[in-house]
Every structure is written in structure tokens, then in C-alpha cells.
Amino acid sequence: MSYISIDSQRERGKISKYIYGQFSEHLGHGIYDGLWVGPDSDIPNTNGIRNDVVSALRAINVPVLRWPGGCFADTYHWTDGIGPASTRKRIVNTSWGSVVENNHFGTHEYFELLKQLGADAYINGNLGSGTVQEMSEWVEYMTFNGTSPMADLRTANGHKDPWQVKFFGVGNESWGGGGNMRPEYYADLYRQYQTFINSYDADTPIYKIASGPNVDDYHWMDVLMKNAAPYMDGISLHHYALASAWEDKRPALDFPESEWFSLIKSAQKMDELITKHSTIMDKYDPQKRIGLIVDEWGSWLRAEKDTNPAFLYQQNTIRDAMIAAITLHIFQKHVDRVQMANIAQMVNVLQAMLLTDGTKLVKTPTYYVFKMFTKHQEAIAMDTFDNLSDTTSASVSKNADGYFISLCNFGLSAPDDITVDVDTAIKSVSGTVLRGLRMDDHNDFEHPDEVKSEEFSTTSFQPHQLKAQIPPMSVVTLQVNTNK
Ligand code: AHR
């Protein structure tokens, strides 16, 4: 049994749409075949980008897309990815399987994708192996409006108008694959590099993101905040949910009950991480100007059999839907600090929204959670009084019509009877459910619709009280209309 009480006066703050952000790296089939097939492909595309993928993603309101990495970002030289495709440099993707990267998807193609998705740009720059000049000129190439060497080059490559870069990351995992730096050293480099990221358009200044800690490296956070806080708008945090040790990735399908719970427990750690990192940030930024940017999160499981392990291709089950719902609820609890989050990764990599195989496409259970939660974007997170069962997670936001409640019962067998008290009179309720019957229920190319969202009608209400039964292994959303 669970209980939630909604007091219309108790607001936490606005839920940034950017916490529903995505991440796509040059990794496996995340970009190539997943998003990009090229204009000459038989797969229906617009300017090289898959139509089926864009159409599915538009339904989840992707607000921002982080690119080109991840680890790949610190080896990426942006000039390799501009100009005629046939003359672009072919390089080795040393981060992910040493496969050939033909650079056919570069800056212009990325902005074309953003245009089709209606999403904002989050570019991750190369600090690990790139120069200050290279990073500075990329920003000039993308955003300078007028005559300059880089703006002229952009025009020569077919795009006269500048693009808008909303977010810019200065290096990735600089404590590890991004350069194995000490925090003191990275803090100095961050201060230097960010100096030359010019916001040419004063009306839309670039939001600069420092490479933050790995999981619970509180020392990294402290040193960065102490030495570089005035120069940053955000600092990143990476945390992946693991069912066992990092070196012992567990299967995405056909796993024991213990791994249902160990993966969920690992995802729940996000709450503690945000709380502790925020406490450190508060020391140097009590006004909470600087955002905690969780730009890599999600489940990291064993790559599927007969796939290249370096491509990080994993199936996605109802358990991943639980991970998504629980984590998004945690972000909404911390709206005062979490200004953006980017699940890893959008297509065909780790906890993906979509899986593709040739012309085929599958929407994962995680996709449905993002679809069901779109109403939370830019709504007001409510500070509710909760008494939830041990296996239930919930979040409530206020919108123009009333309240939007999302619930996740990650118990394996018992439904949860939930009562919600509301201080304003309820006029109507509508609901959606995503549920599994087995722990590894999922969609594949032969059975694409095994797990999908459906109407949820088993609710009852009186003017100030709503009751619902949340099935085990399910995510439920309820729109509670109080205004009509
Ligand atoms: O998302 C996969 C990888 O995980 C990223 O490239 C890296 O930043 C992280 O270690």
C-alpha cells in the first residue's frame, strides 16, 4: 500500500525538459545504421537520416542530443567531418573496436538531425587530444554570424547561417579515457580552454560544462568546484547502473531474480550521488547557479551474443523501464541542481530508446517510459508527502490541467494499492500503463510489440481522493485533471 498527498502550494521547482536529454556517440551502430544511413540508402531517409527513427523520436520530444562522445569526443577532430563526404578522412575509432570511421556523419549532419528532431545542441569538445585553437575554431565554425575564416568555411561547405550551440562540454571523463588527469590539472586546463569558447551571440550564451566526477569521486568534485566554479555553468556526473561488478557485466535477458534487484539498487544510488555531490557544490555555489549535468546514465549490461562486444549493443527489457522511471524520478526530486541529463545512448547502444536492424526498428520499454513521461517536461515538480511501499517510486508534477503522476512498482509479484489525496477537486483521470509479466519481457525484431504502453483505466476517484492499483513490474502515469 502506498500513499501520496498533494498540496497545491508545495512546489519544488520547474522540471527542465533537458533532463529528458539523449546521448549519441560514434560507437557501434549508434550513429551509423542507427541514425545515419546516407542519402543513397534504400532505407527511407531525409538527407541521410532514417525517417523511421526520426518519426519515433519525435514522439518522445527529444530536447537535446549530446554528441560526438563520450570517449570518442576526446579523439575527434571536427575538421575530419566537414566538406564533401568522399574526401573526408577515414580514421580508426580507437575508443570503440578500432573500426574505420569514415566521418560521413559530421557537424552538418548533426545539425540536420537536430533540425529533424527539433532538439538543441550539446557538443562535447576534445580537450584530451585536441588544441585550444581547434576547440575555439569549432565554436566559431558553428556559431559565428558574419565574415570570419571559420564562418566562410562553413558557408563554402553549404551552410551560410550559423547554428545555435546551447551546451558545450569541455572534455569527457578527463579523470580516465579523456586524459587520465588529476583534478587540479584538469581544473587549470578547463579554465584555459573555456576562455576561448566564445559566445558570439550575446543573446544566446553558450552553457559551458566541465568534465565532472566518475560516480562517487567526491574529491574530483571538490577540487573542480574550488578551482573553476566561476568559469562553468554546469559540471557533469556519470553513473551507470550495473547488476554486478564493473568487470562482470551481467546479461540483459534471462537473468535471475537477484539481478533484477541488484540492477535497480545500483540505479537507486543516483539519489545518494546527487545529494552528496550537491552538498559539495553548495559549499562553492550556495545559490545553485551551476547545474549538475548527468550526461551519462542508464543500465550497462553484457553485449548480446554474436555482436561485437565493443559496440555495447544490449537488449532492453521491462527491467530497463524500471531503471528509467526510477532514475527520472530521482532527477525530478533534485530539480534545484539537476539541469540536464542524457541517457546513454539513444539508438543501438547501452540503454537505448530504439534498436535497428537493416530496415527494421524496435521501440524498447525505455522508449515507452520516455514517451509516457513527456508531460513532466517543463512542468512544476511537486513536493508531495509520500508513504510509499518498498517497491514503489513516484513523482508528481503540476501542469495547466492539474497534476501528472508517474509511478513505478518494481516488485515482482504484488500489486500496489495506492491512494492519492489532492487538495483541489478532481474532475477526471486518465492513465497509461507499461507492464511486464516476466522479468525480461522485451521487444525484438520478430516481436516488436510485446511490451508497449496501453490505456490504464483501473482507477477510481472522489473529489479529493484517487485510488489505483499499480501492477507489479509496471510503470503507470495518471493525468489528474482538476481544472476541467
Ligand atoms: O557511453 C559509453 C561510454 O561510457 C562513454 O564513451 C564514456 O564517456 C563512458 O565511459
Side-chain angles (χ1 to χ4, degrees):
M1 291 235 301
S2 289
Y3 174 75
I4 297 175
S5 170
I6 303 174
D7 174 343
S8 53
Q9 301 307 309
R10 290 175 57 106
E11 299 180 351
R12 273 189 209 281
K14 192 165 170 187
I15 301 167
S16 168
K17 65 179 177 180
Y18 295 117
I19 71 166
Y20 288 86
Q22 299 282 335
F23 168 36
S24 261
E25 178 169 9
H26 289 240
L27 191 179
H29 294 297
I31 303 269
Y32 299 105
D33 299 333
L35 290 161
W36 173 259
V37 286
D40 301 330
S41 171
D42 291 339
I43 297 177
N45 69 84
T46 302
N47 298 327
I49 295 162
R50 290 180 74 127
N51 293 344
D52 54 351
V53 167
V54 169
S55 145
L57 292 173
R58 284 189 68 88
I60 63 169
N61 283 350
V62 175
V64 62
L65 178 63
R66 178 176 182 238
W67 173 84
C71 293
F72 182 77
D74 277 309
T75 64
Y76 184 62
H77 300 287
W78 67 273
T79 49
D80 295 348
I82 55 170
S86 57
T87 60
R88 291 190 193 175
K89 203 190 265 182
R90 289 161 70 84
I91 60 162
V92 178
N93 186 335
T94 49
S95 302
W96 303 111
S98 293
V99 293
V100 172
E101 158 67 57
N102 65 17
N103 277 303
H104 283 188
F105 189 91
T107 303
H108 291 248
E109 292 74 21
Y110 169 66
F111 281 100
E112 171 66 22
L113 171 63
L114 293 184
K115 189 174 85 184
Q116 293 186 26
L117 292 176
D120 286 330
Y122 174 8
I123 297 275
N124 208 119
N126 177 352
L127 174 132
S129 68
T131 64
V132 176
Q133 182 179 359
E134 182 182 356
M135 190 181 283
S136 183
E137 288 186 342
W138 196 8
V139 174
E140 179 190 329
Y141 184 89
M142 292 185 285
T143 62
F144 189 72
N145 191 10
T147 295
S148 82
M150 293 303 116
D152 293 352
L153 183 58
R154 184 187 68 231
T155 304
N157 285 330
H159 207 277
K160 184 164 187 327
D161 293 335
W163 296 288
Q164 196 194 338
V165 173
K166 183 105 188 164
F167 302 97
F168 197 96
V170 183
N172 170 71
E173 299 194 346
S174 304
W175 39 263
N180 287 306
M181 298 173 197
R182 292 174 307 112
E184 294 80 4
Y185 182 66
Y186 173 74
D188 281 346
L189 280 189
Y190 173 80
R191 290 167 60 128
Q192 179 190 359
Y193 274 67
Q194 69 78 35
T195 307
F196 303 96
I197 298 171
N198 296 305
S199 289
Y200 294 105
D201 178 358
D203 294 338
T204 54
I206 296 174
Y207 183 108
K208 298 174 190 175
I209 300 170
S211 172
N214 184 31
V215 196
D216 55 0
D217 185 349
Y218 300 114
H219 176 64
W220 183 280
M221 177 59 90
D222 194 68
V223 174
L224 256 288
M225 288 299 293
K226 186 172 177 186
N227 293 294
Y231 305 96
M232 62 174 86
D233 300 301
I235 182 163
S236 65
L237 167 68
H238 292 178
H239 169 57
Y240 286 96
L242 305 168
S244 180
W246 172 255
E247 310 72 36
D248 178 30
K249 301 283 177 354
R250 309 304 301 158
L253 300 176
D254 198 17
F255 49 82
E257 224 176 89
S258 60
E259 289 176 18
W260 170 275
F261 288 107
S262 60
L263 191 72
I264 287 174
K265 189 163 175 234
S266 175
Q268 287 170 325
K269 191 177 161 71
M270 185 69 84
D271 193 15
E272 176 192 318
L273 293 172
I274 295 174
T275 304
K276 291 189 173 167
H277 282 300
S278 296
T279 304
I280 297 169
M281 293 174 77
D282 286 347
K283 260 204 301 180
Y284 304 98
D285 176 35
Q287 306 302 322
K288 297 187 191 290
R289 179 188 66 82
I290 299 172
L292 186 60
I293 306 298
V294 190
D295 58 13
E296 290 189 29
W297 69 272
S299 61
W300 193 319
L301 300 162
R302 189 183 293 170
E304 293 305 316
K305 205 163 153 275
D306 301 327
T307 66
N308 184 336
F311 286 7
L312 310 184
Y313 177 84
Q314 66 191 41
Q315 248 300 352
N316 191 297
T317 65
I318 191 70
R319 182 178 57 164
D320 293 271
M322 308 288 112
I323 302 298
I326 290 166
T327 308
L328 291 166
H329 287 167
I330 294 169
F331 294 153
Q332 294 191 174
K333 179 177 160 193
H334 294 279
V335 280
D336 58 342
R337 212 28 124 172
V338 180
Q339 295 182 8
M340 174 162 62
N342 309 74
I343 187 169
Q345 299 192 6
M346 193 161 72
V347 186
N348 289 335
V349 176
L350 298 174
Q351 191 176 345
M353 306 297 111
L354 304 173
L355 303 176
T356 66
D357 180 15
T359 56
K360 296 187 205 144
L361 172 136
V362 154
K363 296 171 180 155
T364 66
T366 301
Y367 170 90
Y368 286 105
V369 174
F370 273 71
K371 188 166 180 210
M372 289 164 71
F373 280 30
T374 50
K375 274 204 159 175
H376 277 312
Q377 291 187 19
E378 303 284 292
I380 304 295
M382 299 304 291
D383 184 12
T384 51
F385 172 79
D386 300 339
N387 188 5
L388 302 178
S389 91
D390 289 348
T391 60
T392 293
S393 149
S395 188
V396 179
S397 64
K398 179 153 73 174
N399 54 40
D401 300 323
Y403 297 102
F404 185 66
I405 306 175
S406 51
L407 298 144
C408 168
N409 177 0
F410 54 89
L412 291 172
S413 50
D416 188 21
D417 289 309
I418 181 147
T419 302
V420 183
D421 280 346
V422 190
D423 66 354
T424 25
I426 302 172
K427 307 266 173 52
S428 64
V429 178
S430 56
T432 307
V433 62
L434 177 78
R435 78 172 295 195
L437 298 175
R438 288 167 301 274
M439 290 188 296
D440 66 350
D441 272 348
H442 62 280
N443 297 325
D444 61 27
F445 299 106
E446 283 68 48
H447 313 92
D449 292 319
E450 288 295 296
V451 188
K452 60 178 184 189
S453 52
E454 289 163 339
E455 190 185 337
F456 180 74
S457 48
T458 48
T459 52
S460 62
F461 68 91
Q462 311 160 13
H464 290 278
Q465 190 170 77
L466 157 76
K467 285 183 185 288
Q469 190 173 72
I470 313 303
M473 295 192 268
S474 81
V475 177
V476 168
T477 55
L478 301 170
Q479 172 63 36
V480 180
N481 293 322
T482 53
N483 296 337
K484 61 181 183 196

